[in-house]
Structure formats: C-alpha cells, structure tokens
Amino acid sequence: MTARPENVHQARILRLLRQEGPRSRAELGDVVRLSRSKLALEFDRLSALGLVEQAGLAASRGGRRSGVVRIASHLRFVGIDVGATSIDVAITNGELQVLDHLSEPADVRAGPTAVLNQALKLLGDLRSRETAAEIHGVGIGLPGPVSFREGVPVSPPIMPGWDRFPVREVMSEELGCPVLVDNDVNTMALGELHAGLARSVGDFLLVKIGTGIGCGIVVDGEIYRGVSGSAGDIGHIRAGEHGPTCACGNTGCLEAYFGGAALARDATIAARSRRSIFLSERLAEKESLTAEDVGAAAASGDADAVRMIRDGGRRVGEVLAGLVSFFNPGLVIIGGGLAGLGHALLAEIRGVVYQRSLPLATGNLPIVVSELGGTAGVIGAAGLISDHLLSASP
Amino acid sequence: MTARPENVHQARILRLLRQEGPRSRAELGDVVRLSRSKLALEFDRLSALGLVEQAGLAASRGGRRSGVVRIASHLRFVGIDVGATSIDVAITNGELQVLDHLSEPADVRAGPTAVLNQALKLLGDLRSRETAAEIHGVGIGLPGPVSFREGVPVSPPIMPGWDRFPVREVMSEELGCPVLVDNDVNTMALGELHAGLARSVGDFLLVKIGTGIGCGIVVDGEIYRGVSGSAGDIGHIRAGEHGPTCACGNTGCLEAYFGGAALARDATIAARSRRSIFLSERLAEKESLTAEDVGAAAASGDADAVRMIRDGGRRVGEVLAGLVSFFNPGLVIIGGGLAGLGHALLAEIRGVVYQRSLPLATGNLPIVVSELGGTAGVIGAAGLISDHLLSASP
C-alpha cells in the first residue's frame, strides 16, 4: 500500500507533476502559491512518502539553479478496459504514459469470473515483462451501467451474470491494491482528459459509438455521473418518431437506429435483399455481417453502405444537437469502434449539429474524432485510480 | 460597501447561517470542524466585520450554555426579475427571506433605459417603506442570454435595444453597490435552491415555460452555465420532424410548438376557425388571445384548449426525457407563467418522461411544479448576489 498525499497542497503538486511532467521547484512554486519554506516542507514530506523524487537541476533563471522534481518513477497504475468483445490491459507510470499494453478478444457474456480471470492473466503477463513488480492501483472500465460508489455493475444489458457482481472488491482482494470500477464511457472521457484532445478543456462530451451508444460528461475537469450514476446514457434518447423497436421496448431509440448492432442488422437486410452486391458477397463468405463490413462496403463505394452511415450520422447529430444546446460544451469527441467508419459519419454529425444547435453554443465548438482510439479506455482507467490515489487522504 | 468574509471558514459559517438560520456556536462548531479557539477567533472577526451578531443563548447541551449567532440582521439584498411583460423587485434580509416585494406590468421592448429606470423607481418605493436604507448588493435576472462574466445581455431575441447594454455597470454605478446580472432561468433555479423545492437537492433542472422555454441547470449546488454561457437554452431543441417554423429559422423547435407565444398563436387559429367556441367568444371580446385564455378555456372544459395543452406537454416531455437520460438529475421543477396551466400539462410531461427515460434515471425522480411561483426569480437574484458577497474575497 503506497502512501497518499497528506493535504491539498501535496495533492495539487502531484497532479501538476502527473499532467505536466518534471518541473523545477521554482516553476511549481509559481503555480502552487506557497511560500518558499512551506513548499520545501511539502516536497520533503512527498519525498519521504515516496511520491516524488529529484531529477537534476533546472536551467538558471538568474539566481541559484532550482532543483527539478518529478512524480516518483516507481509508481505504476493499471488500466483494464473490458469491452463487449475484447479486453485491454495496460500498465502506466505515474505520468499516465503507457509502458506496456496487451489486448485480446474476449466475450463479456462469459460472465465476471471468466472475464476477470482473463484480465488477471493479461496483467500477470504484463507484470512478468516489466521490471517493477509492484502496482499501486487498478482502474477498470465496464461496458454497462456501474454504481461507481459500490464498484458493481447494475443491470447491465449486454453482460449476463454481472449484475451486482462485486468487481471492485474481488479484484482488490486478488491484487492487494486499491481498485475503482466505472462505466467505459467515463474511463474513455478520462483518457481524453489526461492524454487526448481534451487536455486543456474543462467541459466536454465524449460520445462513444460502439455496439451501443453512450456519452461521457466532463464538468470542470471531473466526470459528471448524475444522481444515480446513469448520466450520459444517451443510447435510448428518441431519435425519430416512427423508428425501429429497441431492445429496451421503446421505439425510435438512437441505438435502434445506429451503432454496431443496428448497423449489422441493416447490413444483413441489405445483403439478403441483394440491394448491396458488396454486402451480399460478404454475407455469402461469412456467417454474419458486422459494422466493419459496412465500413469496407462504403470504402469500396457501395451506395447502400454510404447511405446507412450517413443516416446514422444524421440521427446521432440530431440527438447531439439537443445536448449541445443544453450543455454548451467546449468540445465534442467521437470515439468507439464506429468512429473509424470514415469521414462521412463525422461530416454528417457536424452538419446537423452546426445547423440545429444555437450559434452561441456552436460558435467555437470543435467536433472531432478521438486520436487515442483503443487506448483511451485503458489510459482513462489508469487515470481514474490515479485521481483517487493522488488526492489527499481524508 | 460592506466587508466580505476574509477566508473560506468565515464564508462557510455565513452560508450555513444564511441557509439554516440562527445557530448556537456549539452546533456550528460541529459542522465547520474548527477547533473551539479557532472558531471563536473567526466569530470575533465576522462580528467586527459586521457580518454576524449575537442572538441570545442556546439551551444547555449538558455544560455551559452556548451563544446563538445569526447573520447580521441589517444585511439587505435586492432581487430584480425583469420579465418580458413585468418587473418584480424584492428586498430580502441576510437569510434571503423576502421583506417586501413589488410587481408591475412592464414592456421589456421599451429598452434598457426605460426598464431599468422603472426597476430603480420600484426599488426606491421599497426602500422608502423599509427602515434599513442601506442595501448591500443587487442581483438582476433578464429574459434572454446574458454574459454572466461581463454582466451584459448578448443578442437577446425578445429585448430590442438591450444587446451588450452594460446593465451591471450602469446599475452598480447608480446604486453604489455590487450588482450581478444573469439569465432569468438561472436566477429562478437559484430561487428554488435557496427557498424552494430544491433546498436539499444538489443536481436539478428548472424548466421555465413562459413566452419561450429555457432551463436552469444546477450541478452540485452551483449554476452550470457552459463554456459560452448558453447552457440550458432548450427552446430550440427539435421536438418533432415536421413542426412549425420557429423565429430562429429552423423548423420543429420546442418553442415553436409550445410556450406562451405558440399557445397564443394556436388559440387565435382555433378561435378564428371557430373550432373552439370559448376562444372565439374571448377573441371577440378582446383584441388578442394569450396563454391565460387557453388555460381558462381548458378549465371550462373546452376540448380544443385541453388538446393544445396536452400536445404541448407531450413535446416538452419528449425533449425533457432526453435531457433526463443525459443528465440524470435528482429533481425537475416546472416553473414560469405556463406552469400554472393546470394538472393536464404536468400529467402529460410526467407521462412521457417516465415512459421514455431510462428506469435508472427516473426511479427516484420527482417532476413537480414550482411552489415559489413569481417569487423564485427575485429570491434567486438576491441569492446570486449574496453568494458573491458571502464568498471569501480573493
């Protein structure tokens, strides 16, 4: 068990070093606004706690050269990103830089014991490759609703057997270190905040378009979870008046129009009706079609596939336009497996949002595709536990 | 110019006394978590600054009786609520209790000079009736977008002549005290937070249905304004696929379906086509119809008026259902002039939200009509300036 900072000044220094990398004491003093002697005292304590270390001398600012400090180089955080069909595990240093990363196909429907054992095995492989055997904390993202406070999934629709399974408790006992569990859109949003396009943005939305559709909400640099932890669950917002029936029982839900599952369904219909020759041939080769096949069809110029992506982008854009008017974010990032479907999707989303939302809300609003791709989830999960461990202990 | 608290402890004590009323020093000590001697020191400073005062002795808790303190009884805050067709001005004490309140018809289209002079006259009348002539700060709510930071309205659609008029500066100079200006949905939300149904709720929405429709968003007890201050501008969210054309140029905006202006338009059509006998007769008596006439028609059992209200409630409910899924609030309060249209409106909104939003988000979600009615805006405006004056000076 590693020590945690003892007060808010120490926590502030650690977060700065995590975000900005090594800094001279003089530079940190300018930001933290402590007297020279108080700052020296806090550094001594952090050093004694094993949380910071010396890293040489800075260039002179005119007087004596100031010592450079950095977050302790032995710190290790782990991010685990459980997807519907894959597991990613990464080890980061204290600055949340990924040191090593493994990814494997997995089936979340196999239940928590099988899936968490697979994650533990991947983590074991990573640790055997890494010199530092000790890990200081683990963050886990799951593809369904999570009670963050309790560290358990709550009625997750695509995760049979996981309902209220004590993921945090089991993993913490297994690994002997602190563990936090969250919904994967929240960990992806944290990944963007720590290492992605949102590094300098306080209020932003991360829209994940994968098998389903969800949204991570960041207010003033913190994940906003809502009163019962379900904030950002936008997949069941109505996106049309006479839409397809959704698994939730309602009609016209955004997810019933678009997302990996909806696109696979529409692709199969287009293939069977032979409306799309490309998709018909693909279906003849394989047992079933996925969103990737639609992407490949669109890339080959298949008109039906392009139409599916544009229609989907328009629905996402219409829901997002309302959320932009309501929330007035500084940035919207599109992530998840379908974010890679190409420019047509992004162009359609942008077109609708810029046309439908208020000018005051869209004037300086970038809508972009994540540059982190598959690593947003693991970096964010590591960020989640590091946020906890680098905050002042109560 | 009254003093402001010197540090966060003093600010915390003042906010507690404002919200909870007079308290014994012992009770405050339990909450503020300062040592007995430090607490005594802060009380002495607050007393010297004229911000708190003694109010007798508390009942014994076993030992020496503890002194009761309260927020200084001479403190006076002013709330000014400028509506499209009315001005409300109230004076409150330090606990935000309304001591006196005046309301007059007004026309916001008369421009800032005429309207602010009318507000100053009302305030003069109130001050001549009240013994305490000094006021310590003024909050102002305006019916349009406001740059909170600059204290000016920004392109407000129904307020010709007000664009970027320096309301805060002019009023502060005129009154010789600090002034803050905000959008009226934000001041209404603050009113609910300080004196209404949201007193114990951190995250909630205040939906104002007046001439137009807007939403105040409270996150963790603070107004959320978004990156350019336009958060909560929900009147132009699309509420249907082939809706009426809105003043903003788009079709299907929520405001184009419902709100005071839309209801007056629909009522006039129903009256002219003689579909509604009640409204036809009303229109023959008066020059024009308003939302109140629709309310009166519905109360008399006019089927067309009831249908208009239910249709409008359904549109509001559909937009709100999406926002509830996204934001997962702890409470939704319906306010504004049309909130009084009766149970049919509330029933329709509730029906759609409870049916369309996620069960996790609606499980414990009350949707209620404001109990403060016309005073939410003035109490909230007074609360806005008191939040500022009772926070630690930088």
Side-chain angles (χ1 to χ4, degrees):
Chain A
M1 179 71 195
T2 312
R4 287 172 63 185
E6 300 162 325
N7 59 45
V8 290
H9 301 302
Q10 294 180 10
R12 184 118 191 269
I13 291 166
L14 286 172
R15 283 175 179 236
L16 271 166
L17 291 174
R18 180 186 64 178
Q19 290 307 109
E20 311 289 339
R23 281 288 177 276
S24 73
R25 284 164 180 256
E27 283 175 296
L28 282 169
D30 293 349
V31 181
V32 181
R33 288 168 171 258
L34 283 179
S35 70
R36 206 188 176 91
S37 59
K38 272 211 164 181
L39 190 65
L41 188 73
E42 301 298 0
F43 277 132
D44 289 346
R45 290 296 307 149
L46 283 170
S47 195
L49 292 167
L51 291 169
V52 303
E53 62 192 25
Q54 304 297 326
L57 290 175
S60 171
R61 297 205 297 187
R64 232 178 60 193
R65 288 168 69 196
S66 168
V68 170
V69 285
R70 67 172 170 219
I71 205 160
S73 56
H74 71 283
L75 281 180
R76 292 293 177 270
F77 301 122
V78 170
I80 298 177
D81 186 18
V82 176
T85 59
S86 62
I87 297 181
D88 282 73
V89 181
I91 294 188
T92 77
N93 62 13
E95 292 169 12
L96 297 180
Q97 290 160 333
V98 174
L99 302 177
D100 208 349
H101 180 185
L102 284 172
S103 184
E104 265 187 12
D107 185 354
V108 77
R109 292 169 302 180
T113 308
V115 171
L116 295 177
N117 277 335
Q118 191 178 351
L120 287 168
K121 189 183 162 300
L122 286 171
L123 177 55
D125 293 350
L126 285 177
R127 289 174 81 175
S128 68
R129 284 155 42 158
E130 236 243 281
T131 48
E134 197 192 354
I135 54 176
H136 300 95
V138 176
I140 303 177
L142 296 179
V146 170
S147 165
F148 178 69
R149 202 171 45 76
E150 300 166 89
V152 303
V154 180
S155 310
I158 63 163
M159 300 168 68
W162 288 79
D163 188 25
R164 303 205 71 82
F165 185 86
V167 177
R168 185 178 65 199
E169 205 181 303
V170 165
M171 293 295 272
S172 178
E173 208 154 285
E174 190 65 45
L175 292 163
C177 69
V179 173
L180 287 177
V181 185
D182 207 343
N183 186 285
D184 61 353
V185 293
N186 291 341
T187 53
M188 285 174 71
L190 283 176
E192 298 293 343
L193 186 68
H194 286 302
L197 295 162
R199 282 194 67 144
S200 58
V201 185
D203 302 327
F204 73 93
L205 301 180
L206 178 286
V207 179
K208 181 197 176 193
I209 313 180
T211 305
I213 296 182
C215 181
I217 306 170
V218 175
V219 174
D220 206 12
E222 307 266 349
I223 295 289
Y224 174 79
R225 293 187 171 82
V227 292
S228 47
S230 77
D233 213 338
I234 65 171
H236 300 277
I237 292 182
R238 195 175 218 182
E241 287 187 7
H242 307 286
T245 300
C246 182
C248 77
N250 275 319
T251 57
C253 296
L254 179 58
E255 269 186 26
Y257 278 109
F258 195 59
L263 213 46
R265 173 201 65 203
D266 290 350
T268 308
I269 293 170
R272 295 229 169 101
S273 70
R274 304 200 57 81
R275 219 168 44 225
S276 159
I277 305 300
F278 186 102
L279 291 171
S280 297
E281 290 173 355
R282 276 273 167 127
L283 185 59
E285 286 162 30
K286 306 165 59 181
E287 274 170 49
S288 62
L289 293 174
T290 66
E292 283 78 54
D293 297 311
V294 179
S300 82
D302 183 272
D304 226 52
V306 172
R307 186 191 49 70
M308 281 180 218
I309 293 171
R310 297 197 84 96
D311 281 359
R314 184 165 55 81
R315 299 289 176 182
V316 173
E318 278 168 10
V319 167
L320 200 47
L323 301 181
V324 164
S325 290
F326 172 77
F327 184 69
N328 186 202
L331 172 67
V332 174
I333 303 176
I334 312 291
L338 272 65
L341 276 181
H343 191 69
L345 178 66
L346 184 63
E348 199 70 30
I349 292 173
R350 283 179 172 158
V352 177
V353 174
Y354 291 144
Q355 189 210 326
R356 288 276 344 166
S357 304
L358 292 173
L360 202 57
T362 57
N364 292 307
L365 176 69
I367 302 175
V368 296
V369 167
S370 169
E371 291 177 351
L372 292 177
T375 62
V378 284
I379 296 173
L384 180 73
I385 191 70
S386 86
D387 279 346
H388 172 68
L389 293 175
L390 301 185
S391 63
S393 47
Chain B
M1 178 73 195
T2 311
R4 286 171 64 186
E6 299 161 324
N7 58 43
V8 289
H9 301 303
Q10 292 180 9
R12 182 119 193 270
I13 292 166
L14 286 171
R15 281 175 181 234
L16 271 167
L17 292 174
R18 180 186 65 177
Q19 290 307 108
E20 310 291 338
R23 280 289 177 275
S24 73
R25 284 165 178 256
E27 282 174 298
L28 283 169
D30 293 347
V31 181
V32 181
R33 287 166 170 261
L34 283 179
S35 69
R36 206 188 176 92
S37 58
K38 271 211 162 179
L39 189 68
L41 188 73
E42 301 298 0
F43 277 132
D44 289 347
R45 289 295 308 148
L46 283 170
S47 195
L49 293 168
L51 291 169
V52 302
E53 62 191 28
Q54 305 296 327
L57 290 176
S60 170
R61 297 207 294 187
R64 234 176 59 196
R65 287 169 68 196
S66 168
V68 170
V69 286
R70 67 173 170 219
I71 206 159
S73 57
H74 72 283
L75 280 180
R76 293 291 179 270
F77 302 121
V78 171
I80 298 178
D81 186 16
V82 176
T85 58
S86 61
I87 297 181
D88 282 73
V89 182
I91 294 187
T92 78
N93 62 13
E95 292 169 13
L96 297 180
Q97 289 160 331
V98 174
L99 302 176
D100 209 348
H101 180 184
L102 284 173
S103 184
E104 264 187 13
D107 186 354
V108 77
R109 292 169 302 180
T113 309
V115 171
L116 295 178
N117 277 336
Q118 190 178 352
L120 287 169
K121 191 185 160 298
L122 286 172
L123 178 54
D125 293 349
L126 284 178
R127 288 173 82 173
S128 68
R129 283 155 40 159
E130 236 241 282
T131 47
E134 196 191 355
I135 55 177
H136 301 94
V138 176
I140 303 178
L142 296 179
V146 170
S147 165
F148 179 66
R149 202 171 44 78
E150 300 167 89
V152 304
V154 179
S155 310
I158 63 165
M159 299 168 68
W162 288 78
D163 188 24
R164 304 205 70 83
F165 185 87
V167 177
R168 186 179 64 198
E169 204 181 306
V170 164
M171 292 295 271
S172 179
E173 207 154 285
E174 189 65 46
L175 292 164
C177 70
V179 172
L180 286 178
V181 185
D182 207 342
N183 185 284
D184 61 353
V185 291
N186 290 342
T187 53
M188 284 173 72
L190 283 176
E192 297 293 342
L193 186 68
H194 285 302
L197 293 163
R199 283 195 66 144
S200 57
V201 184
D203 303 325
F204 72 94
L205 301 179
L206 178 285
V207 179
K208 180 196 176 193
I209 313 178
T211 305
I213 297 182
C215 181
I217 305 169
V218 175
V219 174
D220 207 13
E222 307 268 348
I223 294 290
Y224 174 79
R225 294 186 171 84
V227 292
S228 47
S230 76
D233 212 338
I234 65 171
H236 301 277
I237 292 182
R238 196 176 218 183
E241 287 186 9
H242 308 285
T245 300
C246 182
C248 77
N250 274 319
T251 57
C253 295
L254 180 58
E255 267 185 31
Y257 278 109
F258 195 58
L263 213 46
R265 172 202 66 202
D266 291 349
T268 309
I269 294 169
R272 293 227 171 101
S273 70
R274 303 200 58 79
R275 219 168 45 226
S276 159
I277 305 301
F278 186 103
L279 291 171
S280 299
E281 288 173 355
R282 275 272 168 122
L283 185 60
E285 286 163 30
K286 305 163 61 181
E287 274 171 48
S288 61
L289 293 174
T290 66
E292 283 78 54
D293 297 312
V294 179
S300 82
D302 182 272
D304 225 51
V306 171
R307 187 192 48 73
M308 281 180 219
I309 293 171
R310 295 197 85 95
D311 281 358
R314 184 166 55 81
R315 300 289 177 184
V316 173
E318 278 168 9
V319 167
L320 200 48
L323 301 180
V324 164
S325 289
F326 173 77
F327 184 70
N328 187 201
L331 172 68
V332 174
I333 304 175
I334 312 290
L338 271 64
L341 276 180
H343 191 70
L345 177 66
L346 184 64
E348 200 69 31
I349 293 173
R350 283 179 172 160
V352 177
V353 174
Y354 291 144
Q355 190 210 325
R356 287 276 346 166
S357 304
L358 291 173
L360 202 57
T362 56
N364 292 306
L365 176 69
I367 303 175
V368 297
V369 167
S370 169
E371 290 178 352
L372 292 176
T375 62
V378 283
I379 295 173
L384 179 74
I385 191 70
S386 86
D387 279 346
H388 173 68
L389 294 175
L390 301 186
S391 62
S393 48

